[in-house]
Amino acid sequence: NGKKTPSQDEVTAALWARFCKEADLSVVSDRGAWTINDARTKAQARLREVIAGTYSFVARSDNSTLVAGSQQVKRPTLVSATDAQSQLEGILNSFFEQLADGNAPRAGIRLTMGAGKTRKTINQLMQYLKDREGQSVEVYVPRHDLGSEWEKNLNGINADVVHIYPRTGGQWDKANETYPFPILCQRSDYVRDLEAKGHSIYSNACLSRTSGKQCAFFGDCSYLNQFRDRIHDAQPRNTVRIYTHASLFLSRNEFERQRTPDLVIIDEAFLSSAVSNLPSVSLSEITQHVRSDGLASLGFELLECLSNKQGQLSYLRDKDIGASDFQSVSLGHLSSETPFDADVKESRNVGSAKIYQAMQLLIDVAAREIEDEGRESFEQLVYDKHSNEIVICEHKPIRIPAGVPVLYLDATADPIITEPYLPNLEYHRIDARQLAVVSQVHDRTGSNSFWDEKITQETKNRSADTYNEQSNDLAKLIIVLNEWAKAGESPLLVGHKKLCDFLRKHPKLDQGVAVAHFMSLRGSDEYQDRSVIFITGRNQPPPDAIDRQARAIFGASGYTLKHDDLEDLPFGQADYRLSERSSHQPSGITLRAFSDPRIEAVQRQIRDAETVQAIARLRLVWAKYQKRVFLLSNLPVEMPVDHLVSFSELMPERLELELIKQGDVPLTALGLEKMRPDLELNEAAITKMVQRSNASDPKRMVFALPDLVKATTQIARFKAGSPRMTKQQHLFLPKDFEKRLSTALFSPWTQQQVLEHLETYWGMGNVHDLTVEFLFIAKPQVSAK
């Protein structure tokens, strides 16, 4: 990279300085005391590794050790926001021109979040429908709140816009004791009972396909009216219906079957809806019901195959068990049909249809897979040792007919995952530059278990007689978040749900800190005005959950997946995408990865993409100022990183905590001894505290603090007492930060003010040779708040 390789002496000096700072040199082992010669030996090894391009040393675990980057990954070219929008407009123009010409284009657009793909698509759709009649457009979004945004933005379009809501008001909101949406069904209690028991609603409560009977409210049903086309002046109107992603995998009702959509728009990734709520069957149900007249032990043999033989079909075939044995299984005794009733409104205790449906699906899958002579093992049936159930990894068919024009908008679109549901898409990728400074830790995985442990520690800390701000990493994180809020910034923290629920109720967390959990952010503009984001970890389900989702997506494709030992996944390397302004050498980490690229694609979509989605909530593409991103997980993501740092550099240690609390702190052991007797530390403890701190590099002490705080931080150098005394250093944070800023102009302390502060507040006598200067010379870009 054209950078000078340091000499052996330089590396030796750096290693020895760091060792002296972090280690206790008074400890002497059998081999003797540590000396600079030990550092020289390590330096020789490190230089050999630099020349070879590989690192052989390890940290506490392989997945938190920084390694040399492979430099083999081709990164996409970043373009400006205006160029990205120009490219987007070109793609959309071509798509809608083809549509206007009577063709059926199918396009997938992967564009950096916040670049305006939804807004531009809405504008194009409004223009397209301006002079048309009778067009049926379906739009699918992740959640109803995003559906409401679409509905609002389509105001004035030449079409009836219908936001499709659920019949019964959605899931009960315990906190507010209400349903989140209007109740559209006049027999909602009865229908909820049918839903809970797994019965078809339309054929059991709306219209009987056998008798032709209709619900008493059929003709004026508010729910069904959402699907009825409206006629205006004897001309069919254009209609735009807005659904949630969940509807993509539901059967079409009678009204929807009467028409084929002229255009389908899918906004954001739909994977979670495609693989959610996989059905399962208990072992006891299988042994009890999976049997035939000629083979009473069929259920036991199936369980033995799945639980102890890794699903190898040869186990069953060697026993002459085939598809016909499964097809002859009778499940009629499990069927729980409910008679059609046109009038009843109250809830009734109807029998459950779920067991019958799951068992029938299991039998169908078992018969189909064992009949496939080229298949060696079950793909869509898998034993879950945790729940002691058989999970049916069903591939849910998508409701979009083949040949229908499709426009798929997703910033993390992956053709590998999309193809089984939306074949023959023409993919376009645009990567826009985002205005942010990104700092990422390299020595923490950020796992849920790591933060769950901190929750336990912080729970004890909160209940103690005296709250200790340095008790654990979560307490320290709260301090950092609070400092950003107090500085006038607007921080957002993103993590897993348990951590976020805990922090929302934490009495020490500043009210100006927003908290949001993974999977609740996709597509939302709620946090676009936030100026800094802390992402505590990664959204990563366990390997067996990822494997099952891949089975559901690809299991029926005809191309067998390669399944790894989930207890011992193979290692792979992921490189960081370093920014042009980063001073780091190409670096990466070792992490567990699936051998099959399709399963690995599922993991990326769940884990990596959700982190990218969280970052995008700050809308960095069109940001008016440079925002800050802190990634507290070492998982490389598709975003340039400016700083690779250790976790400890982001979490304040003892001296930094004193700086934050007091607003100023001595940076030498002598200064701490004279000025901070309240710390109640002896000389040895003070010396060790300074050695283990960043006192020798004050800029590191304020690394994780707000940019404007850092920019107004001053360092004072002085002597006190005898002129022969060692020069002291003292760091000042702007405690009266907001008062000292006026239209973003700094009002620093003068030398006289610092002198008075040292002599009056700290009682320092005979201060002389005093110099005061800003710690950071260059003023950072100021946020527009």
Side-chain angles (χ1 to χ4, degrees):
N1 293 325
K3 296 182 179 179
K4 174 181 173 292
T5 301
S7 67
Q8 181 177 312
D9 288 341
E10 288 174 325
V11 177
T12 298
L15 284 172
W16 182 243
R18 181 152 191 164
F19 189 82
C20 291
K21 174 182 175 181
E22 298 180 353
D24 187 351
L25 298 180
S26 65
V27 175
V28 179
S29 65
D30 294 337
R31 57 167 297 286
W34 292 100
T35 70
I36 194 171
N37 288 329
D38 298 301
R40 184 170 288 106
T41 301
K42 292 292 182 183
Q44 292 171 351
R46 295 292 173 266
L47 286 170
R48 286 195 298 268
E49 290 163 348
V50 169
I51 296 172
T54 58
Y55 299 148
S56 61
F57 65 94
V58 295
R60 284 172 294 179
S61 63
D62 291 335
N63 58 3
S64 60
T65 301
L66 201 62
V67 299
S70 65
Q71 304 186 59
Q72 296 178 350
V73 180
K74 186 178 180 180
R75 303 295 186 184
T77 301
L78 297 178
V79 300
S80 68
T82 52
D83 286 344
Q85 197 161 84
S86 177
Q87 291 183 39
L88 173 63
E89 288 178 346
I91 296 168
L92 291 175
N93 285 336
S94 174
F95 179 90
F96 280 96
E97 285 173 4
Q98 294 181 59
L99 195 61
D101 290 340
N103 298 315
R106 295 169 71 90
I109 302 177
R110 174 169 174 160
L111 172 62
T112 306
M113 281 159 284
K117 60 183 181 297
T118 299
R119 178 169 50 83
K120 287 292 182 183
T121 299
I122 289 174
N123 292 341
Q124 289 273 3
L125 177 61
M126 295 180 75
Q127 186 63 32
Y128 171 74
L129 293 178
K130 195 171 183 179
D131 56 356
R132 282 172 172 77
E133 297 176 345
Q135 293 284 298
S136 176
V137 179
E138 294 179 354
V139 177
Y140 295 87
V141 296
R143 304 183 306 274
H144 282 289
D145 60 319
L146 300 180
S148 297
E149 290 183 17
W150 264 82
E151 187 178 11
K152 178 181 177 181
N153 291 328
L154 287 171
N155 183 42
I157 193 173
N158 179 32
D160 291 324
V161 179
V162 184
H163 184 165
I164 305 297
Y165 285 104
R167 288 180 174 86
T168 56
Q171 295 293 323
W172 177 257
D173 186 342
K174 293 181 180 179
N176 297 313
E177 297 186 345
T178 186
Y179 291 101
F181 311 116
I183 297 175
L184 304 178
C185 176
Q186 297 188 56
R187 298 201 290 160
S188 57
D189 289 338
Y190 175 56
V191 167
R192 287 192 194 100
D193 195 23
L194 291 174
E195 286 178 331
K197 303 298 175 54
H199 292 280
S200 166
I201 305 304
Y202 190 86
S203 59
N204 284 290
C206 301
L207 174 65
S208 171
R209 293 188 175 93
T210 55
S211 67
K213 291 183 179 179
Q214 292 182 349
C215 168
F217 308 100
F218 187 88
D220 193 32
C221 174
S222 297
Y223 174 75
L224 294 180
N225 284 344
Q226 297 177 121
F227 306 100
R228 292 183 169 111
D229 287 330
R230 304 169 189 176
I231 304 296
H232 295 266
D233 299 328
Q235 295 294 330
R237 287 272 293 170
N238 297 319
T239 305
V240 178
R241 289 185 173 86
I242 303 171
Y243 300 82
T244 60
H245 284 170
S247 295
L248 279 169
F249 304 97
L250 299 177
S251 299
R252 292 181 176 272
N253 62 39
E254 298 293 336
F255 294 99
E256 291 172 310
R257 292 193 190 104
Q258 294 173 11
R259 76 182 80 84
T260 298
D262 299 286
L263 171 63
V264 171
I265 300 174
I266 303 176
D267 199 359
E268 301 291 346
F270 54 82
L271 175 64
S272 59
S273 295
V275 296
S276 62
N277 301 321
L278 295 176
S280 60
V281 182
S282 71
L283 304 191
S284 61
E285 288 168 345
I286 292 176
T287 56
Q288 181 180 355
H289 302 299
V290 179
R291 57 179 62 213
S292 62
D293 293 338
L295 191 59
S297 64
L298 182 59
F300 291 95
E301 299 292 1
L302 177 61
L303 291 183
E304 177 68 14
C305 174
L306 291 169
S307 60
N308 295 323
K309 305 299 181 182
Q310 292 76 49
Q312 292 296 316
L313 290 167
S314 58
Y315 173 80
L316 298 178
R317 289 168 178 160
D318 290 345
K319 295 178 177 291
D320 293 327
I321 296 175
S324 59
D325 293 293
F326 289 103
Q327 291 165 347
S328 64
V329 173
S330 175
L331 299 173
H333 61 288
L334 293 176
S335 179
S336 180
E337 295 183 0
T338 181
F340 186 89
D341 193 311
D343 301 298
V344 65
K345 292 184 177 182
E346 65 276 5
S347 174
R348 298 193 316 181
N349 188 25
V350 298
S352 175
K354 289 185 175 181
I355 296 178
Y356 171 76
Q357 293 168 355
M359 289 294 298
Q360 188 62 61
L361 181 59
L362 179 140
I363 292 299
D364 293 343
V365 170
R368 183 180 69 247
E369 294 202 336
I370 200 170
E371 189 175 32
D372 183 354
E373 296 181 357
R375 188 180 296 276
E376 296 181 353
S377 61
F378 279 115
E379 193 70 87
Q380 293 185 276
L381 298 179
V382 62
Y383 171 61
D384 184 345
K385 64 181 181 181
H386 303 293
S387 64
N388 214 29
E389 295 178 322
I390 301 301
V391 180
I392 307 167
C393 304
E394 175 191 15
H395 177 83
K396 299 177 184 177
I398 199 165
R399 59 156 42 191
I400 301 174
V404 167
V406 173
L407 181 59
Y408 177 39
L409 311 167
D410 177 26
T412 59
D414 190 328
I416 296 176
I417 296 173
T418 309
E419 180 69 18
Y421 299 102
L422 299 173
N424 304 318
L425 288 187
E426 180 182 359
Y427 281 89
H428 308 270
R429 178 167 182 172
I430 309 170
D431 289 87
R433 188 174 292 105
Q434 303 186 70
L435 192 59
V437 176
V438 182
S439 302
Q440 181 166 18
V441 303
H442 57 73
D443 59 348
R444 290 290 190 280
T445 63
S447 66
N448 289 357
S449 59
F450 171 83
W451 288 107
D452 287 347
E453 180 185 354
K454 306 309 173 190
I455 291 174
T456 301
Q457 296 171 359
E458 181 62 4
T459 300
K460 295 179 180 178
N461 186 30
R462 280 175 48 185
S463 61
D465 293 336
T466 303
Y467 183 78
N468 182 0
E469 294 174 324
Q470 204 182 6
S471 168
N472 59 81
D473 289 323
L474 188 50
K476 295 177 182 179
L477 177 59
I478 290 172
I479 288 174
V480 173
L481 291 167
N482 289 348
E483 284 303 307
W484 280 87
K486 292 174 184 175
E489 301 285 349
S490 48
L492 165 66
L493 179 133
V494 177
H496 70 291
K497 192 173 187 302
K498 182 178 179 181
L499 175 63
C500 292
D501 288 344
F502 179 80
L503 285 173
R504 289 188 187 101
K505 299 176 183 178
H506 201 294
K508 296 288 186 179
L509 187 67
D510 193 288
Q511 293 298 308
V513 179
V515 178
H517 60 269
F518 288 117
M519 305 303 291
S520 68
L521 294 156
R522 191 174 285 268
S524 174
D525 284 331
E526 181 179 352
Y527 305 104
Q528 62 182 332
D529 293 328
R530 295 280 160 175
S531 59
V532 58
I533 186 171
F534 286 79
I535 301 180
T536 59
R538 54 182 69 176
N539 179 54
Q540 180 167 325
D544 55 357
I546 295 170
D547 180 78
R548 285 175 210 152
Q549 293 186 16
R551 290 172 183 265
I553 298 169
F554 305 105
S557 66
Y559 299 95
T560 305
L561 291 164
K562 179 182 178 181
H563 299 285
D564 300 299
D565 179 357
L566 299 179
E567 302 292 337
D568 187 25
L569 289 176
F571 282 104
Q573 179 171 323
D575 288 356
Y576 291 102
R577 183 178 179 179
L578 299 176
S579 70
E580 296 176 352
R581 57 192 173 194
S582 173
S583 61
H584 301 282
Q585 295 285 347
S587 305
I589 60 164
T590 302
L591 73 170
R592 299 283 186 177
F594 291 92
S595 300
D596 194 298
R598 292 167 293 178
I599 306 179
E600 183 59 25
V602 175
Q603 175 161 268
R604 284 197 308 269
Q605 187 68 204
I606 298 171
R607 181 190 65 189
D608 306 13
E610 196 62 26
T611 297
V612 175
Q613 282 282 350
I615 296 171
R617 295 315 101 207
L618 269 59
R619 298 308 193 200
L620 301 172
V621 174
W622 295 100
K624 296 180 180 179
Y625 58 93
Q626 202 156 239
K627 299 186 179 184
R628 290 301 306 269
V629 176
F630 292 96
L631 302 176
L632 307 189
S633 162
N634 64 359
L635 175 72
V637 296
E638 279 294 315
M639 187 170 186
V641 175
D642 301 292
H643 307 110
L644 283 174
V645 298
S646 66
F647 188 80
S648 61
E649 288 180 271
L650 294 184
M651 296 299 105
E653 41 77 32
R654 178 72 183 277
L655 209 58
E656 292 165 5
L657 282 173
E658 294 301 324
L659 171 65
I660 291 171
K661 287 194 297 184
Q662 294 290 342
D664 60 316
V665 70
L667 299 181
T668 62
L670 180 60
L672 282 166
E673 183 180 353
K674 298 294 185 183
M675 303 169 71
R676 295 300 305 274
D678 59 297
L679 296 179
E680 299 181 347
L681 299 175
N682 59 34
E683 182 178 350
I686 289 176
T687 300
K688 185 174 292 186
M689 183 171 72
V690 173
Q691 287 176 342
R692 293 180 175 177
S693 74
N694 286 313
S696 61
D697 186 0
K699 289 185 178 181
R700 286 185 175 272
M701 295 187 69
V702 295
F703 177 79
L705 296 181
D707 291 344
L708 289 178
V709 171
K710 288 190 290 189
T712 56
T713 299
Q714 295 170 272
I715 187 167
R717 297 178 176 90
F718 62 93
K719 290 184 179 181
S722 170
R724 293 174 296 178
M725 294 295 290
T726 303
K727 201 158 194 176
Q728 305 281 337
Q729 289 195 111
H730 203 94
L731 198 60
F732 292 86
L733 278 183
K735 292 296 285 185
D736 52 347
F737 174 78
E738 293 183 356
K739 296 178 182 177
R740 293 174 61 193
L741 286 178
S742 175
T743 63
L745 296 177
F746 302 130
S747 301
W749 280 10
T750 64
Q751 281 198 205
Q752 184 61 34
Q753 288 174 313
V754 172
L755 178 62
E756 292 174 358
H757 181 76
L758 291 172
E759 292 182 339
T760 305
Y761 189 83
W762 291 115
M764 294 297 290
N766 192 21
V767 174
H768 54 91
D769 293 346
L770 174 65
T771 60
V772 182
E773 60 187 33
F774 282 121
L775 184 61
F776 289 84
I777 298 174
K779 173 183 168 183
Q781 190 166 352
V782 178
S783 59
K785 288 185 293 299

